[in-house]
Amino acid sequence: HEGRDCRCMEGKWGYVDRLHREVVPYMYDHASDFNDGRACVGLGERGNRKYGYIDRDGNVVIPLIYDKPAEFIDGIAYVTKDGKHGTIDKDGNEILPCIYEVPWNGFYHEQRRICFVENGKQGMKDYDGSIIIPAIYHEIHGRKDPYLTVRIGEKDNYKEGLITHNGKTVIEANHSRIGWCSDRKHFFCCADGCCEMYVVEDCAAMP
């Protein structure tokens, strides 16, 4: 909580310090915990609420102009404005403007990649707009895994496979399920009622 707790009084949210002294007045319709020195706050009725960010002293450091609440993680927040998505830093500077149609968790800031949507399919492009992986997959996820998990098919009828972060196929998308072990060095692929374990190093050595 970074020394601040959000509290509600008569339907409005504010913040108190560790001694329960009010440090931010009870004036907001939404308030989140502090993270990276910023807390997301909102004003307005549900469905028409705007969100921005305050510092630990209650100063508005990023104006309330965004459509959805979002926390800062490692100095980056993934924000939404007018139905489009982008990223900002802790001072409100745009890293990526809110012009992208991006699925949930679709910004890969560490790799400077964006999972984009085109004609209902997902692909990957870099921050300069160059397409790295064409939009041919139903879903792409697993940004912190050694390989990306991809789904081909429809929402309730798909197969999973693995590709590299540059789009090279590692495991064909013909498995009912692919899962990662906690060490992220092993994964398993299931198909036709059977599961097989793989080692990442062995796959990396494949031509």
Side-chain angles (χ1 to χ4, degrees), residues 159-160 171 174-179 187-198:
K159 296 292 185 180
E160 293 190 334
I171 299 291
N174 53 19
H175 295 81
S176 57
R177 184 189 176 198
I178 293 178
F187 60 90
F188 59 87
C189 300
C190 300
D192 300 324
C194 297
C195 293
E196 187 173 358
M197 186 72 70
Y198 291 83

Side-chain angles (χ1 to χ4, degrees), residues 83-162:
K84 300 292 185 178
H85 308 284
T87 60
I88 59 173
D89 66 19
K90 291 167 59 175
D91 296 320
N93 299 311
E94 287 186 339
I95 299 171
L96 291 172
C98 290
I99 61 174
Y100 297 97
E101 185 179 352
V102 178
W104 172 253
N105 216 18
F107 287 105
Y108 291 45
H109 187 63
E110 300 88 347
Q111 297 90 6
R112 298 182 64 81
R113 300 285 175 85
I114 306 164
C115 182
F116 70 98
V117 179
E118 186 176 272
N119 298 323
K121 300 294 184 181
Q122 296 182 9
M124 298 286 290
K125 62 175 65 174
D126 62 22
Y127 274 18
D128 295 322
S130 298
I131 294 177
I132 307 300
I133 301 170
I136 59 175
Y137 297 105
H138 173 62
E139 283 185 1
I140 301 175
H141 56 89
R143 63 180 178 177
K144 294 188 176 181
D145 296 328
Y147 300 123
L148 296 170
T149 300
V150 293
R151 292 176 175 175
I152 289 180
E154 304 299 331
K155 180 179 179 181
D156 298 316
N157 184 25
Y158 59 82
K159 296 292 185 180
E160 293 190 334
L162 292 177

Side-chain angles (χ1 to χ4, degrees), residues 25-94:
Y26 294 92
M27 58 180 289
Y28 292 107
D29 297 304
H30 168 91
S32 65
D33 291 331
F34 275 88
N35 195 19
D36 271 1
R38 299 287 185 264
C40 183
V41 294
L43 285 172
E45 298 294 327
R46 284 186 182 275
N48 196 34
R49 188 173 295 170
K50 294 297 181 181
Y51 299 88
Y53 298 85
I54 61 173
D55 63 18
R56 295 176 71 254
D57 296 322
N59 300 308
V60 176
V61 292
I62 299 174
L64 282 67
I65 59 175
Y66 296 106
D67 299 338
K68 295 181 180 180
E71 291 185 353
F72 276 94
I73 300 174
D74 297 328
I76 302 296
Y78 304 96
V79 291
T80 304
K81 185 165 60 175
D82 299 327
K84 300 292 185 178
H85 308 284
T87 60
I88 59 173
D89 66 19
K90 291 167 59 175
D91 296 320
N93 299 311
E94 287 186 339

